[in-house]
Amino acid sequence: MKKAELVIVGGGPAGLSCAIEAARLGAKVLVIDENERPGGQLFKQIHKFFGSREHQAGVRGIDIGTKLLEETAILGIEVWLNSEVVGISKDKHIWVVKDGKTSLKVEADKIVLSTGAIENSLNFPGWTLPGVMGAGAAQTMINIHRVTPGDRVLMIGSGNVGVIVSYQLLQAGAEVAAIIEAAPRLGGYGVHTAKVRRAGVPFYISHTIKRALGTDRVEGAEIVALDAKWQPIPGSEFILDVDTICVATGLTPLAELAWTLGCCFQFVPSLGGFVPDHDQYMETTVPGIYVAGDIAGVEEASTAMEEGRLAGISAAAALGYLSGEERERRCGEVWDRLNSLRSGPYGEGRRKAKELILSTEGGIACDRAI
Amino acid sequence: MARVLNHIILGAFPERRKVTITVDGVPMEAFEGEMIAAALWAHGKKDLRYTKKHNHPRGIYCGIGRCTDCVMIVDGIPNVRTCKTPVKDGMVIETQKGLGEWKGGTGHEES
Ligand SMILES: Cc1cc2nc3c(=O)[nH]c(=O)nc-3n(C[C@H](O)[C@H](O)[C@H](O)COP(=O)(O)OP(=O)(O)OC[C@H]3O[C@@H](n4cnc5c(N)ncnc54)[C@H](O)[C@@H]3O)c2cc1C
Ligand code: FES
């Protein structure tokens, strides 16, 4: 069986930043990712990032991804691609399926889970028809596979994902018939919302989808207005002529591996739901298992990278590459940056939610007996 | 559905070898290495499988290998996630009905 000091599951911005940090400190790192190339969501993000300049705002996600890959290569970090982690035992044996057919096992001293998040679905009559898909799926299709999901799209959800993917659908040559939002106000950052509005896409607030039309594929969508109590207003229905319906109603941490490892969880709606409980070093309630990035609470690539660094420093220290004092100093620096990222009207709520996780002991599904 | 040939930020469609795959017995042109599901959608085929109980069609839902909506029979092996399986020359692809039928190969190697 292969042995590795530190195995990082998921090579997105969190996992790669973690790998770079730990490798620089001397740890022997293995990154395992299920895709053809690492980078996670970054290679789908062709827009200029939000945030402050010191955190690479104004730089496109794809360019941040390229930089991370370069650093990973320079440091000679081992990366397994097309490799899915399908299980981890409590004694840190990792079961990997490579290329969809080869079974491999790895024994790790420390493990970082940086598996990201999964899109929430929305159930309405017709939601399983071909043509209804996650907004992230549409983004993957246009920016990675270079195929538009359809000609005329309805976007459900006006948050950042909804408006950014809408704009990218326009850039790919599709038409966006409308963006609907159940809440009485729009959810995305002003810059991105304004870009889509300027392009002429209509927004409907206090509206939701009633059903998708079509038998073999989407042929339209019935929309309905909602009253102040979020109840459908009879008679307000109308049909939109679309062949694609994209669902952008938030993300949930992708944490199955943490569940099966027996990690404790906390339910934090503002971070996407059930989040593996962790301390300020990103260690979960199972010793030697760390989390970083969207799995530890759905946020942004900028925070994911900083959390990856925290996990990398902590794991390297636990492996003996850093003194306790040096770990404190380095983690403190990262925390200063994280606190500045989690400020302002959009960040404050996330900072408070994160503080809650750090200050609460335990949570649900505790399995401390391991 | 159409291929995004010229993209304002990503540039021209990446150069790839044209190959031929067979979809439900009909030859179809695709690019080597692109995801099977993407190639099929580019040709307007959106129903990738039909469910066991109600025979309802399914297409691409998550696009990243999580939901299994897109599974098809590829070279005799059922339940292959076509959104994350790259096209190879000569591949034989079938729309999957229900749980599909195992037509050969173990599909699995131990190492
Ligand atoms: C439309 C959109 C726009 C965005 N815009 C911005 C922005 O402007 N600025 C910003 O800062 N952030 C933005 N984000 C958010 C950002 O993309 C994410 O927060 C960030 O990618 C999270 O990083 P991560 O490393 O935690 O997860 P991911 O990037 O999701 O990486 C996780 C990786 O792990 C792999 N993986 C998962 N499970 C396994 C397994 N079992 N085995 C092997 N591999 C596995 C996944 O395939 C993936 O490659 C945006 C997101 C979206 C969807
Ligand atoms: S579309 Fe979800 S697994 Fe392929």
Side-chain angles (χ1 to χ4, degrees):
Chain A
M1 195 185 318
K2 184 180 167 78
K3 286 192 182 190
E5 277 186 345
L6 173 59
V7 172
I8 298 169
V9 185
L16 290 179
S17 302
C18 174
I20 290 166
E21 202 68 29
R24 276 199 194 129
L25 295 170
K28 278 157 215 71
V29 182
L30 168 64
V31 179
I32 305 179
D33 192 278
E34 61 191 339
N35 298 291
E36 280 182 335
R37 81 164 159 172
Q41 307 313 313
L42 285 175
F43 287 100
K44 302 169 193 175
Q45 313 303 357
I46 60 173
H47 59 283
K48 292 184 177 156
F49 268 21
F50 32 77
S52 64
R53 194 162 296 278
E54 65 173 301
H55 289 105
Q56 304 185 306
V59 181
R60 296 184 199 280
I62 34 178
D63 298 328
I64 299 175
T66 306
K67 241 177 100 195
L68 285 176
L69 292 196
E70 279 165 14
E71 275 182 79
T72 307
I74 291 170
L75 287 162
I77 294 167
E78 188 174 4
V79 183
W80 287 3
L81 297 174
N82 296 314
S83 303
E84 237 169 292
V85 172
V86 289
I88 304 178
S89 68
K90 295 190 175 170
D91 49 4
K92 299 194 186 67
H93 289 187
I94 303 171
W95 175 25
V96 186
V97 173
K98 200 166 165 31
D99 298 321
K101 53 182 168 204
T102 313
S103 229
L104 299 164
K105 280 199 197 111
V106 185
E107 196 183 330
D109 291 327
K110 308 282 171 205
I111 298 173
V112 176
L113 303 174
S114 45
T115 48
I118 185 161
E119 297 192 272
N120 297 335
S121 56
L122 190 67
N123 298 36
F124 49 87
W127 77 287
T128 59
L129 281 176
V132 180
M133 64 174 69
Q139 194 187 36
T140 307
M141 284 187 77
I142 49 179
N143 295 342
I144 307 283
H145 307 323
R146 302 285 293 262
V147 175
T148 53
D151 299 329
R152 262 174 76 79
V153 184
L154 164 66
M155 181 64 67
I156 305 177
S158 71
N160 278 323
V161 173
V163 287
I164 290 171
V165 174
S166 291
Y167 194 70
Q168 294 178 359
L169 281 160
L170 298 173
Q171 287 179 317
E175 214 182 304
V176 179
I179 299 178
I180 59 170
E181 169 61 59
R185 68 193 71 82
L186 298 174
Y189 286 172
V191 264
H192 292 293
T193 307
K195 269 164 84 175
V196 192
R197 290 199 88 133
R198 278 200 299 274
V201 174
F203 282 80
Y204 295 91
I205 53 168
S206 295
H207 276 74
T208 191
I209 184 165
K210 197 167 167 189
R211 62 191 171 116
L213 308 176
T215 41
D216 291 331
R217 55 174 61 195
V218 173
E219 284 165 8
E222 188 175 337
I223 309 305
V224 64
L226 300 174
D227 64 18
K229 290 186 180 133
W230 299 65
Q231 295 307 309
I233 302 173
S236 67
E237 296 87 352
F238 64 99
I239 306 273
L240 281 174
D241 173 26
V242 294
D243 60 9
T244 305
I245 298 170
C246 286
V247 182
T249 50
L251 296 130
T252 300
L254 189 66
E256 286 88 343
L257 293 170
W259 283 109
T260 55
L261 273 161
C263 295
C264 292
F265 277 72
Q266 298 207 23
F267 188 69
V268 192
S270 59
L271 293 175
F274 283 105
V275 175
D277 193 11
H278 55 273
D279 62 14
Q280 74 266 39
Y281 306 108
M282 304 311 295
E283 192 166 10
T284 66
T285 52
V286 178
I289 306 286
Y290 302 78
V291 283
D294 279 355
I295 184 183
V298 175
E299 292 190 85
E300 300 177 350
S302 43
T303 45
M305 289 188 279
E306 296 294 3
E307 286 195 344
R309 289 184 190 115
L310 273 184
I313 293 165
S314 313
L319 288 163
Y321 291 101
L322 271 186
S323 66
E325 213 174 288
E326 196 46 26
R327 175 183 78 161
E328 289 309 307
R329 191 185 68 74
R330 285 172 190 252
C331 286
E333 284 175 7
V334 180
W335 268 107
D336 287 344
R337 294 198 295 270
L338 270 173
N339 286 331
S340 85
L341 278 171
R342 291 174 183 145
S343 60
Y346 290 98
E348 200 59 23
R350 289 187 274 122
R351 189 177 59 78
K352 290 208 178 102
K354 275 282 177 179
E355 270 169 9
L356 192 77
I357 295 181
L358 297 188
S359 63
T360 317
E361 258 294 299
I364 70 139
C366 256
D367 185 3
R368 285 186 188 279
I370 16 171
Chain B
M1 316 61 61
R3 292 197 189 277
V4 185
L5 297 178
N6 287 302
H7 193 287
I8 184 161
I9 291 157
L10 296 167
F13 194 83
E15 282 280 322
R16 277 184 157 160
R17 192 163 79 97
K18 271 193 188 147
V19 297
T20 306
I21 57 178
T22 307
V23 182
D24 293 330
V26 181
M28 184 186 278
E29 206 169 71
F31 292 105
E32 188 173 52
E34 73 176 335
M35 296 307 146
I36 297 170
L40 296 182
W41 276 52
H43 283 91
K45 178 163 172 64
K46 290 187 174 183
D47 55 330
L48 307 180
R49 74 172 169 103
Y50 285 80
T51 57
K52 183 171 187 254
K53 221 170 168 179
H54 300 293
N55 198 37
H56 285 169
R58 293 284 190 275
I60 297 175
Y61 188 77
C62 72
I64 51 166
R66 300 256 183 271
C67 73
T68 68
D69 257 17
C70 65
V71 300
M72 300 180 81
I73 304 169
V74 177
D75 288 335
I77 297 172
N79 301 310
V80 174
R81 291 168 296 175
T82 55
C83 71
K84 56 174 314 191
T85 305
V87 161
K88 284 193 200 116
D89 196 10
M91 255 180 178
V92 178
I93 292 152
E94 292 159 83
T95 305
Q96 182 167 321
K97 305 276 168 156
L99 301 178
E101 218 182 301
W102 200 264
K103 289 185 184 166
T106 62
H108 181 84
E109 293 161 18
E110 209 42 76
S111 104

